[in-house]
Amino acid sequence: KDRPLSPKVKIAGAPVAELLPMLKSDRRWVRNFARLELRQQGADGVLEPLKAWAATLDPTKEPDQHALLEAAWVREGVNSFSPETWRDLWKVNDSRVRAAALRILSHRWKEVENVETVLAEGIKDPDPQVRLWAMAVCATIRKPATVEIALKALEQPMDESLDFLLE
C-alpha cells in the first residue's frame, strides 16, 4: 500500500555473473530464486565465479556476512563444501549466521577438522538457536564424546526445544 511494487528481476536463465549479486538482495524471494537458478546451472559453471565473488566479501562486515552465508548455501546446493567459508561463518558475531553454519555442519561434520571443539563452543553459546543446532549435530554424530558435549547444554538456560532434543 502506498508504495511502488518491487521491480521484476530476470532470474531464470540469467548468467552466473548476474545471479551472484542477487544473493545480496534485501528481497528474500530474489535470493531464494537466485540460489535455485545457480543450483540448476550446476557446479561446473558456478563454482569458480562463486569462489571469486565470495573472496570479495568481508566476513567482518554485517551485510557481507549474510552474503557469505548465501554463498555457502549455493555451495551446498551444488554439493561443494568449503571448510574455509564455513570457518569464516562460524567466527561471525551474528548468532543467526552461526546457527546456520551449524545447520550446514549437520551434513558436513566429517569434512571439518576438530568438529568436537566446534560443537563444545556451540553448546556454550549464549544464543539458544546456536546451542540447538550444536546439539542437533551432536545427535547426528552419535559418538560418546558428542553425547558428553550435548549434556553440557544443561549448564545453560534450557527451553522446550533444547529439552526435547536432549531427550
Side-chain angles (χ1 to χ4, degrees), residues 34-51:
R35 276 195 319 269
L36 179 61
E37 182 65 25
L38 287 164
R39 179 179 172 190
Q40 289 174 345
Q41 291 190 17
D44 293 338
V46 169
L47 278 180
E48 288 307 314
L50 180 66
K51 286 178 190 175

Side-chain angles (χ1 to χ4, degrees), residues 2 4 15 40 54 56-58 68 74-75 77 79-80 114 122 134-135 139 153:
D2 300 327
Q40 289 174 345
T56 67
L57 302 173
D58 182 355
L68 191 62
V74 170
R75 289 186 74 104
N79 197 25
S80 175
N114 303 320
M135 198 180 299

Side-chain angles (χ1 to χ4, degrees), residues 40-166:
Q40 289 174 345
Q41 291 190 17
D44 293 338
V46 169
L47 278 180
E48 288 307 314
L50 180 66
K51 286 178 190 175
W53 181 78
T56 67
L57 302 173
D58 182 355
T60 63
K61 294 183 180 172
E62 190 172 330
D64 284 357
Q65 294 169 356
H66 191 266
L68 191 62
L69 179 59
E70 293 289 346
W73 285 123
V74 170
R75 289 186 74 104
E76 282 298 293
V78 295
N79 197 25
S80 175
F81 179 71
S82 168
E84 297 80 23
T85 300
W86 188 88
R87 290 275 179 204
D88 287 343
L89 292 171
W90 181 240
K91 294 175 190 171
V92 166
N93 286 333
D94 186 340
S95 61
R96 296 169 301 174
V97 174
R98 289 194 315 277
L102 287 171
R103 182 176 178 190
I104 291 170
L105 192 63
S106 69
H107 303 283
R108 301 293 189 159
W109 61 270
K110 292 179 182 176
E111 299 172 54
V112 173
E113 292 181 18
N114 303 320
V115 69
E116 291 171 0
T117 304
V118 170
L119 294 174
E121 290 173 20
I123 285 291
K124 294 177 184 175
D125 198 276
D127 187 86
Q129 192 72 22
V130 175
R131 293 196 309 271
L132 183 72
W133 277 105
M135 198 180 299
V137 178
C138 287
T140 301
I141 295 175
R142 297 178 185 243
K143 290 182 180 177
T146 58
V147 171
E148 288 179 33
I149 292 168
L151 288 172
K152 291 191 186 290
L154 293 169
E155 298 169 6
Q156 297 277 350
M158 296 289 285
D159 63 19
E160 190 174 308
S161 298
L162 287 164
D163 204 33
F164 177 80
L165 190 56
L166 194 57

